[in-house]
Amino acid sequence: MDYEVVIGLETHIEQNTKTKMFCSCKNEFGGAPNTNCCEVCTAMPGALPVINRQAVYNTIKAGLATNCEISKTFYFDRKGYFYPDLAKAYQISQLYVPICKNGKVEFEVNGKQYAIRLNRIHLEEDAGKLVHGLFGETLVDFNRGGVPLMEIVTEPDFRSVEQVMAYLDTIKNIFKAIGVSECRMERGQLRCDVNVSLRPFGSPNFGTRTEMKNLNSFKAIERAIKFEISRQTKILNSGGKIVQETLRWDDVVGQNYPMRSKEDSQDYRYFPDPDLLPITITDEEIKKIKNELPVLPAQLKSEYKKKYGFSDYDATQLSKNIEISKFFEECVKAGIEPREASNWIQGEISNILNEQVGEEIVIKLVPINFAKLIGLYKAGEISQASARQVLRKIWDSNEDPGEIVEKQGLKALSDDTEIRKIVEEIISKNPNAVNDYKSGNKKALAFFVGQTMKATQGKANAGIVNKIIIELLGE
Amino acid sequence: MDKTKLLKLSITELIKAFELGQTSSEEATKACLEKIKNSQLNAVVHINEDAINLAKEADKKRREGKKGRLLGVPILLKANMCTKDNMPTSCCSNFLKDFKSPYNATVVEKLLKEGAVIIGKANMDEFAMGASNETSAFAKAKNPHDLTRIPGGSSGGSAAAVAGLECYASLGSDTGGSIRQPSALCGVVGLKPTYGSVSRRGLVAFASSLDQIGPITRTVEDNALLYEIIMGEDEKDSTTNRKPEKFVQNIGAPIKGLTLGLAKEYLDLPADSEVKQTVLNTIDFYKKNGVKVVEVSLPNIDKALAVYYILSSAEAASNLSRFDGIRYGKRVEGKDLIDTYYKSRTAGFGAEVKRRIMLGNYVLSSGFYDAYYKKATKVQQVLKQEFENAFLKCDCLIAPVCPQVAWHFGEKSTPISNYMADIFTVPVNIVGRPAISFPCGVNKDNMPIGVQLIADMNREDVLYKLASYFEKHKGVK
């Protein structure tokens, strides 16, 4: 039997504020253990938290970018549990009144539009990190303790893995676009817990769900969900029952394992944090933040369609990542014709990015250099093949493309007589192909162009080559 | 200067004596330390080994013409205030017995800036939970007026040391009466400031929404001086919200035309007749001196004690959860992590602290939150409204501080009987108002009785006017 998949997500995103959520320690990834921490981070007696207004501002920004309502008055709660990475033995979080609620995130899967409802976005502090030593000892590093952390909770609206992946890609790009986080999963800046359940198609009730933790990459999330769907399907099909539990994904083995039930059944004893006063935000402040929001990927897409006449596909490709759209716009600013820039970005640049390691898009190419390169190509000074070659040279070197062309002798061969000499020689060496051509086989033309390019190491001006071949062989 | 005479000086008098060259900080500090050393009060639990050097430095500064409103004045802190000097910040708990803080509390910084010589830390109920000093993990402090009696609590050591001439002033902390009650029982002056006036940074938290640090002194004027120095907003305590103000100017100011509110429900709470009579005499005194007396109503004041024990225990349970044996303080290794938590906390905390932690976790636990914690906050709102209404009709409320004079050690054997001792003081913390406790008489055994004046938010000026007037003209000192 086939089941309908029901998925809900809790996504944690660390903010990139200069300082931590409740003290003035630096919010910085890396660093020697316990160097970015103070009496607040380590919960020394008498230490008090002070709210980082920037983090609150960022959360409101995140809420506005995901169509949330912003609470006019909100406050922080204490969530109590004992664990060595949580110095105070309570996390300052928000249960009763989150900063943002009732949002909506839209995205596309295979050309179809979907909208996922957000239950809330609340602000809290990250915990420290446990480091397990060689001799069985466990050490705590509080550098991460107190980093501002947003939790984005969706309703159980997802009906496929593809929707989950598209949603994650979308919110990642939104949060990057509004500049509140780099969302780098390998640094733990974006983390995700996934709730999965199954139900017969058409059933109005939800099935029993399981929660998966320890999902450290997009790939892991995708694999874990697929694994969990097939695990639950097998249990249901064999007449079994799903146990509501928390599962830990093992990415090496590719399986989910139950976590100890102790970690699963906590009474957090939430109550409003008496060390912090409620915050009230005025409509004017919210309006001001709204006006400061940058153009978001979805708006950018329709802007590109209108402004440049791009197809839906091209506009999506150029707008969905902030790094890509930023680079595209810089290219246009540097004088590259938009369609040309789009072709290159979706062509050779996309190839280069695919070859890079990691899930992050990093473009170091300097737009001015790239514009110069395109200029050389468009002027016929270099061939497309040479242009691709030079692009890879200047990708992360900030060298002048003109100089590279000069140094490496990549200048296009556009001298009529010289090209004519080479073509004549190829024609004389390939009488069969000449016959093919004359008997109407147009593929033979491509053969001659290819041979000429080979002989000139791709430097010959393709237009001129074509013209001469046709001229010499006759129509 | 004659030692007894020297130790009896008020801060104002001591500073005058410094200026006239009649004595020095070194001499005064040595006198205090010697008094502490030979004392039977157990009022002081940690001595600052650097005190005499600091006093010498203060004397040098004075010779060099440097200023400081407390330059050279020997002062004690309650043992729950963080200092990064050689003293532990123990809270009189086995858990923090040897704990040294890496930073100074904001009030400590303020005292040091004015040149105060911090000579030690005073005894207290463990983590400020108690009304008699009997929950201290160390030797219990005693009442200087009768060594067989308790000094009150939780700032019992702070009040006993000031009354016993072991320092010139001390700081206490008041969550439900912990400054006012021991001040009353020891016959000194104690102020619980308006919530949000004094930074709590570096005060080991008991109940964050109720805790305030305040001065304990022998005169009202000294109290105003010390309060002026320690109050004012602190960017590191976001519950502070008050600009610095002057208070000494209110000492001896006219009181004619001020209005004193009598709330029947408040005055009718159970108390010994001697205590009630002394408070009535005080009301008469003010009447005779031009103060208008009006009746006001606080219909729900009898609920304050219950509200207090729910809210304060809930916050305490959470505040004390950081004492897990992982980073500092008591640690008893167990067979695993959870066992280490259990063993460390079992060994580190005394019975009363454990009782409050259990009570606090109970009222916060799922299923009970609405019935206890949430309901208590609702009643708190009602009480705030009732006080607000009362202050529309008067400048000040008057009430006893403690239902009785200092009792004998061991006399109150049940937790409830101890909690009942807070009945007059806790409403003030719940509504965030300021209150001063000062001596207004003695009972038949010559034990001091205190009276409490309560003002509206940020109106300590009224308290100082009325208290100093009584002190000057009635002369109970």
Side-chain angles (χ1 to χ4, degrees):
Chain A
M1 185 171 167
D2 265 351
Y3 296 93
E4 184 178 38
V5 181
V6 176
I7 300 171
L9 299 185
E10 286 162 28
T11 311
H12 284 96
I13 293 183
E14 270 186 0
Q15 290 191 8
N16 58 5
T17 48
K18 283 201 184 74
T19 56
K20 289 188 182 181
M21 186 65 232
F22 295 113
C23 65
S24 51
C25 286
K26 270 194 258 169
N27 170 13
E28 213 173 54
F29 181 80
N34 296 311
T35 48
N36 289 329
C37 72
C38 65
E39 70 265 15
V40 176
C41 309
T42 53
M44 286 293 155
L48 294 175
V50 177
I51 295 169
N52 180 341
R53 297 296 290 217
Q54 183 64 44
V56 170
Y57 174 92
N58 285 349
T59 309
I60 295 174
K61 227 168 145 184
L64 292 172
T66 50
N67 311 297
C68 287
E69 294 163 27
I70 308 300
S71 305
K72 295 283 161 54
T73 299
F74 50 84
Y75 55 88
F76 290 88
D77 301 298
R78 292 183 179 180
K79 176 184 182 180
Y81 63 93
F82 283 88
Y83 205 62
D85 65 4
L86 189 67
K88 298 185 294 300
Y90 60 82
Q91 179 191 33
I92 303 178
S93 179
Q94 296 188 291
L95 174 73
Y96 298 107
V97 187
I99 299 179
C100 319
K101 53 189 184 242
N102 303 331
K104 192 176 71 178
V105 175
E106 293 174 305
F107 52 86
E108 243 179 56
V109 179
N110 300 326
K112 224 180 134 194
Q113 198 73 23
Y114 293 93
I116 293 295
R117 292 169 300 154
L118 298 188
N119 174 287
R120 57 157 60 204
I121 302 178
H122 70 242
L123 183 55
E124 57 190 27
E125 55 178 338
D126 212 342
K129 241 180 200 164
L130 293 189
V131 183
H132 300 281
L134 290 172
F135 308 102
E137 78 278 24
T138 301
L139 306 165
V140 201
D141 176 5
F142 286 110
N143 282 356
R144 200 184 69 176
V147 166
L149 191 66
M150 288 177 290
E151 182 170 336
I152 303 124
V153 183
T154 75
E155 298 294 346
D157 285 354
F158 300 95
R159 295 292 175 270
S160 73
V161 187
E162 290 74 23
Q163 288 173 19
V164 171
M165 301 322 289
Y167 161 84
L168 284 173
D169 202 38
T170 305
I171 59 161
K172 178 176 166 179
N173 285 314
I174 290 173
F175 283 76
K176 277 162 69 176
I178 60 173
V180 301
S181 176
E182 271 73 58
C183 296
R184 295 180 67 163
M185 273 194 105
E186 80 279 10
R187 292 185 170 186
Q189 292 164 348
L190 190 156
R191 312 195 288 267
C192 196
D193 298 338
V194 184
N195 289 289
V196 177
S197 67
L198 301 182
R199 65 177 171 188
F201 279 98
S203 160
N205 303 322
F206 291 128
T208 306
R209 66 188 154 82
T210 57
E211 184 181 7
M212 292 185 285
K213 287 182 183 285
N214 195 39
L215 305 167
N216 297 322
S217 67
F218 275 32
K219 211 159 243 156
I221 294 171
E222 193 172 357
R223 288 177 68 204
I225 294 175
K226 284 181 175 163
F227 175 88
E228 186 57 16
I229 291 171
S230 77
R231 187 186 74 90
Q232 290 191 16
T233 306
K234 266 182 227 157
I235 292 173
L236 292 174
N237 280 342
S238 62
K241 271 198 173 147
I242 308 298
V243 181
Q244 182 168 346
E245 60 187 342
T246 304
L247 304 167
R248 187 179 182 283
W249 173 251
D250 187 326
D251 207 39
V252 179
V253 185
Q255 277 198 32
N256 280 324
Y257 295 96
M259 286 171 78
R260 279 182 298 146
S261 59
K262 243 187 203 164
E263 298 167 22
D264 205 16
S265 57
Q266 295 259 9
D267 184 347
Y268 293 120
R269 291 155 289 129
Y270 278 102
F271 76 107
D273 191 332
D275 285 331
L276 300 166
L277 301 178
I279 295 180
T280 299
I281 298 283
T282 63
D283 285 328
E284 287 72 50
E285 284 172 289
I286 294 174
K287 210 168 172 188
K288 187 167 168 271
I289 298 173
K290 200 165 199 169
N291 289 337
E292 284 167 13
L293 278 184
V295 181
L296 298 174
Q299 296 161 268
L300 212 51
K301 178 180 159 185
S302 52
E303 201 176 277
Y304 287 172
K305 282 164 82 173
K306 216 157 73 192
K307 198 163 166 191
Y308 305 121
F310 285 167
S311 69
D312 197 83
Y313 179 83
D314 286 348
T316 306
Q317 295 307 310
L318 291 172
S319 63
K320 69 173 186 183
N321 283 301
I322 178 82
E323 287 88 357
I324 302 274
S325 61
K326 247 193 203 152
F327 181 72
F328 167 70
E329 283 168 24
E330 281 170 2
C331 286
V332 175
K333 225 182 268 169
I336 305 175
E337 200 267 313
R339 197 163 295 275
E340 189 71 27
S342 163
N343 288 342
W344 280 87
I345 288 169
Q346 292 186 65
E348 193 61 9
I349 286 177
S350 164
N351 290 340
I352 296 172
L353 289 173
N354 285 336
E355 290 160 22
Q356 286 181 344
V357 220
E359 287 178 350
E360 298 309 310
I361 292 173
V362 185
I363 302 176
K364 288 193 199 144
L365 179 57
V366 182
I368 284 290
N369 292 341
F370 184 48
K372 277 188 199 164
L373 175 66
I374 300 295
L376 291 172
Y377 166 65
K378 294 299 274 183
E381 302 254 327
I382 52 171
S383 67
Q384 193 177 37
S386 302
R388 286 197 185 125
Q389 206 178 321
V390 176
L391 173 60
R392 281 173 184 268
K393 286 253 178 235
I394 62 171
W395 179 250
D396 50 15
S397 73
N398 198 14
E399 278 179 84
D400 182 73
E403 275 173 31
I404 296 176
V405 168
E406 204 64 50
K407 250 195 281 178
Q408 308 212 347
L410 294 173
K411 210 156 173 85
L413 204 51
S414 14
D415 185 86
D416 228 69
T417 1
E418 212 171 313
I419 295 176
R420 190 173 293 267
K421 240 200 264 167
I422 295 164
V423 174
E424 277 169 351
E425 203 184 318
I426 290 167
I427 288 176
S428 69
K429 275 185 187 161
N430 294 286
N432 289 344
V434 174
N435 287 337
D436 282 355
Y437 180 82
K438 289 201 165 151
S439 61
N441 186 349
K442 291 297 169 203
K443 271 189 197 155
L445 176 65
F447 169 78
F448 284 111
V449 173
Q451 289 296 308
T452 312
M453 284 301 179
K454 199 172 158 193
T456 60
Q457 288 120 40
K459 283 186 284 187
N461 181 312
I464 300 175
V465 171
N466 256 310
K467 197 189 80 190
I468 293 175
I469 294 169
I470 292 166
E471 191 191 313
L472 289 177
L473 293 173
E475 283 298 328
Chain B
M1 194 188 270
D2 167 66
K3 225 172 258 173
T4 318
K5 196 180 155 205
L6 172 62
L7 286 171
K8 276 187 172 164
L9 298 177
S10 71
I11 293 179
T12 327
E13 290 163 345
L14 179 68
I15 288 174
K16 206 163 277 165
F18 286 158
E19 281 166 356
L20 293 172
Q22 295 167 340
T23 186
S24 65
S25 174
E26 186 183 350
E27 195 184 3
T29 304
K30 275 184 175 159
C32 289
L33 292 176
E34 198 180 312
K35 182 97 181 155
I36 293 166
K37 206 177 141 197
N38 298 322
S39 170
Q40 293 177 285
L41 294 180
N42 299 325
V44 181
V45 288
H46 310 300
I47 292 285
N48 185 354
E49 282 152 21
D50 239 9
I52 289 171
N53 287 332
L54 294 172
K56 284 180 183 167
E57 239 170 75
D59 287 329
K60 190 165 159 256
K61 279 186 184 161
R62 189 172 289 282
R63 285 196 299 274
E64 289 165 355
K66 287 189 180 138
K67 295 265 179 277
R69 286 184 285 173
L70 294 172
L71 190 54
V73 179
I75 280 178
L76 279 175
L77 302 172
K78 192 174 178 180
N80 59 355
M81 295 173 194
C82 291
T83 55
K84 61 175 178 190
D85 49 28
N86 55 73
M87 290 184 282
T89 300
S90 69
C91 299
C92 291
S93 172
N94 279 324
F95 200 100
L96 292 178
K97 209 167 85 180
D98 306 309
F99 171 73
K100 298 261 174 74
S101 171
Y103 71 103
N104 279 335
T106 298
V107 289
V108 171
E109 293 290 350
K110 288 190 169 191
L111 291 179
L112 294 176
K113 212 179 133 214
E114 294 296 342
V117 176
I118 294 170
I119 56 169
K121 291 188 182 178
N123 208 342
M124 59 186 280
D125 281 293
E126 184 180 6
F127 286 109
M129 296 170 189
S132 65
N133 222 265
E134 289 167 294
T135 76
S136 171
F138 308 144
K140 301 168 185 69
K142 298 172 189 166
N143 194 308
H145 298 273
D146 177 351
L147 297 181
T148 67
R149 294 176 191 253
I150 58 112
S154 67
S155 310
S158 294
V162 172
L165 310 179
E166 298 181 358
C167 63
Y168 288 85
S170 66
L171 292 187
S173 67
D174 191 316
T175 307
S178 285
I179 288 174
R180 289 161 287 156
Q181 186 254 28
S183 294
L185 302 192
C186 292
V188 290
V189 182
L191 176 81
K192 196 294 276 188
T194 306
Y195 186 78
S197 299
V198 182
S199 171
R200 295 181 294 112
R201 175 173 181 265
L203 170 71
V204 181
F206 165 10
S208 315
S209 73
L210 307 170
D211 296 343
Q212 276 291 288
I213 294 172
I216 297 174
T217 55
R218 290 195 286 265
T219 69
V220 179
E221 183 176 16
D222 285 357
N223 204 283
L225 171 68
L226 217 55
Y227 182 47
E228 222 174 83
I229 289 166
I230 60 169
M231 61 93 56
E233 61 191 344
D234 176 8
E235 59 175 21
K236 291 188 168 174
D237 175 358
S238 42
T239 59
T240 56
N241 55 7
R242 212 166 158 194
K243 297 269 173 288
E245 279 175 47
K246 298 278 178 224
F247 291 99
V248 176
Q249 66 207 35
N250 298 301
I251 303 306
I255 58 169
K256 207 167 262 171
L258 288 174
T259 313
L260 199 58
L262 307 186
K264 189 173 178 306
E265 304 91 343
Y266 204 172
L267 295 168
D268 279 353
L269 292 173
D272 286 357
S273 57
E274 277 180 309
V275 169
K276 284 203 172 173
Q277 191 51 53
T278 316
V279 172
L280 292 177
N281 295 345
T282 310
I283 296 170
D284 271 350
F285 167 84
Y286 282 125
K287 250 192 213 167
K288 281 182 197 144
N289 284 277
V291 173
K292 234 165 66 190
V293 175
V294 295
E295 274 191 27
V296 294
S297 181
L298 299 169
N300 284 292
I301 195 129
D302 59 326
K303 324 275 191 308
L305 197 67
V307 169
Y308 172 79
Y309 275 94
I310 291 173
L311 297 184
S312 66
S313 301
E315 292 182 25
S318 172
N319 283 330
L320 268 61
S321 57
R322 69 185 57 194
F323 302 118
D324 57 6
I326 301 293
R327 298 170 312 289
Y328 51 76
K330 189 84 180 175
R331 176 171 181 145
V332 180
E333 291 291 343
K335 62 181 191 301
D336 57 21
L337 178 66
I338 302 287
D339 197 36
T340 300
Y341 287 150
Y342 285 157
K343 287 206 163 86
S344 302
R345 289 168 68 84
T346 301
F349 294 142
E352 184 58 29
V353 172
K354 286 173 188 161
R355 185 175 295 120
R356 309 269 184 128
I357 290 174
M358 284 190 278
L359 180 59
N361 280 324
Y362 178 78
V363 299
L364 287 176
S365 58
S366 72
F368 297 101
Y369 180 85
D370 287 352
Y372 294 105
Y373 183 84
K374 208 171 162 193
K375 187 166 252 171
T377 59
K378 279 183 185 161
V379 180
Q380 180 183 31
Q381 290 313 313
V382 170
L383 283 167
K384 280 184 176 173
Q385 189 60 55
E386 288 180 4
F387 272 77
E388 206 176 311
N389 296 344
F391 284 119
L392 292 175
K393 293 189 194 150
C394 63
D395 298 301
C396 216
L397 294 164
I398 190 164
V401 181
C402 188
Q404 61 183 110
V405 296
W407 56 93
H408 292 94
F409 285 102
E411 195 181 312
K412 290 187 191 294
S413 51
T414 66
I416 293 294
S417 61
N418 266 296
Y419 297 172
M420 285 298 284
D422 300 338
I423 197 160
F424 288 104
T425 45
V426 293
V428 175
N429 300 77
I430 286 171
V431 299
R433 261 70 180 182
I436 198 165
S437 157
F438 58 94
C440 67
V442 291
N443 81 337
K444 61 179 188 310
D445 300 327
N446 228 13
M447 290 305 290
I449 296 172
V451 67
Q452 178 176 216
L453 294 176
I454 304 152
D456 205 357
M457 301 302 274
N458 305 331
R459 293 307 303 273
E460 288 85 348
D461 59 325
V462 179
L463 301 180
Y464 283 132
K465 276 179 197 166
L466 286 166
S468 65
Y469 194 91
F470 183 90
E471 177 186 64
K472 188 173 170 193
H473 298 280
K474 190 84 180 178
V476 183
K477 214 171 147 182

